[in-house]
């Protein structure tokens, strides 16, 4: 255990989080021995069965293009033809918390992101989330039992409430807890060293 924590606030279906992934990995590698790295879901969009409006679909496709140009992240635009998009990320958020019970939150996040952005699968759908769980070695029945439990829903709601108390303005966000103070760390999508230097300056204080 370290004296300080670096809290990563994310949503599995946040495209900017996908764009940040490579840079974030470098940050984790550099700081792993200096801070405890904590993952928390932010909950981008509540449960919904309504089809995503066409205007929102067009906006998100433009966002994917911009993120790809800025960060080099890859996107499979077949998603918009092959799937029925919904503005609903809470199911994916619950899924990574469920995977946490198996100590597999981070690999579940990776499976969801790759399924969504590279394989044109829809993480708003339960069958996609079950498939991701099976890919990382979690039995479907065990995963579903936790995913659909009241215990998990309580944990999810508590996590959303906790994140709302942090200095977070969007996803992804980084928050450093050092000497009982919380510091919002500016996210840089292409320069991991800039983020690392900022954190080192605070830790040195």
């Amino acid at each position: 255990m370290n004296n300080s924590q670096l809290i990563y606030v994310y949503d599995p279906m946040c495209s900017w989080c996908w764009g940040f992934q490579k840079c974030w990995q470098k940050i984790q590698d550099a700081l792993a021995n200096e801070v405890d790295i904590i993952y928390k879901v932010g909950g981008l969009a509540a449960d919904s069965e309504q089809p995503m409006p066409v205007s929102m679909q067009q906006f998100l496709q433009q966002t994917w293009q911009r993120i790809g140009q800025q960060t080099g992240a890859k996107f499979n635009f077949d998603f918009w033809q092959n799937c029925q998009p919904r503005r609903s990320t809470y199911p994916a958020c619950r899924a990574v918390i469920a995977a946490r019970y198996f100590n597999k939150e981070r690999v579940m996040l990776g499976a969801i992101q790759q399924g969504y952005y590279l394989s044109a699968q829809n993480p708003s759908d339960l069958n996609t989330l079950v498939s991701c769980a099976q890919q990382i070695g979690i039995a479907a029945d065990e995963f579903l039992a936790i995913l659909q439990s009241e215990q998990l829903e309580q944990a999810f709601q508590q996590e959303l409430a906790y994140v709302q108390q942090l200095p977070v303005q969007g996803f992804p966000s980084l928050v450093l807890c050092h000497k009982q103070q919380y510091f919002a760390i500016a996210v840089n999508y292409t320069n991991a060293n800039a983020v690392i230097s900022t954190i080192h300056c605070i830790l040195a204080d």
Side-chain angles (χ1 to χ4, degrees):
M1 293 290 290
N2 294 290
N3 293 326
S4 302
Q5 295 180 333
L6 180 61
I7 304 167
Y8 176 53
V9 184
Y10 72 97
D11 189 291
M13 294 181 68
C14 163
S15 49
W16 284 105
C17 294
W18 173 242
F20 185 52
Q21 194 268 336
K22 289 183 179 179
C23 199
W24 170 230
Q25 188 59 56
K26 294 177 182 177
I27 295 166
Q28 292 179 90
D29 292 344
L31 297 173
N33 294 326
E34 300 175 62
V35 298
D36 291 328
I37 295 172
I38 310 296
Y39 277 54
K40 296 291 181 183
V41 297
L44 184 61
D47 296 309
S48 175
E49 294 299 325
Q50 296 299 315
M52 185 183 293
V54 173
S55 59
M56 174 66 75
Q57 294 187 42
Q58 293 172 341
F59 170 77
L60 288 177
Q61 289 179 69
Q62 293 170 358
T63 300
W64 285 16
Q65 291 174 341
R66 188 164 72 253
I67 295 170
Q69 291 168 356
Q70 183 173 330
T71 70
K74 304 300 182 183
F75 292 89
N76 184 344
F77 285 83
D78 288 346
F79 171 83
W80 301 100
Q81 282 73 47
N82 298 347
C83 297
Q84 175 60 73
R86 303 197 310 280
R87 185 70 170 162
S88 183
T89 73
Y90 276 22
C93 290
R94 293 188 186 95
V96 291
I97 295 176
R100 194 181 293 164
Y101 286 76
F102 301 90
N103 295 315
K104 292 188 174 184
E105 176 181 8
R106 300 183 192 188
V107 289
M108 183 64 169
L109 170 59
I112 291 173
Q113 288 179 321
Q114 290 175 38
Y116 183 23
Y117 296 114
L118 300 182
S119 299
Q121 300 169 355
N122 192 347
S124 297
D125 295 339
L126 181 61
N127 60 350
T128 297
L129 300 173
V130 172
S131 175
C132 288
Q134 292 175 309
Q135 287 174 30
I136 64 171
I138 302 175
D141 56 345
E142 295 180 23
F143 175 72
L144 282 170
I146 291 178
L147 183 68
Q148 298 173 332
S149 68
E150 182 60 31
Q151 177 187 9
L152 185 130
E153 185 60 27
Q154 290 178 358
F156 177 44
Q157 295 300 328
Q158 290 170 358
E159 193 149 319
L160 293 182
Y162 172 75
V163 166
Q164 289 174 0
Q165 303 302 314
L166 297 175
V168 168
Q169 295 183 328
F171 311 123
S173 282
L174 294 174
V175 178
L176 181 66
C177 178
H178 178 62
K179 295 183 178 178
Q180 299 182 323
Q181 288 185 280
Y182 290 89
F183 301 87
I185 306 298
V187 170
N188 190 308
Y189 291 91
T190 57
N191 187 347
N193 289 332
V195 179
I196 295 164
S197 295
T198 298
I199 292 171
H200 277 156
C201 287
I202 297 172
L203 293 176
D205 185 16

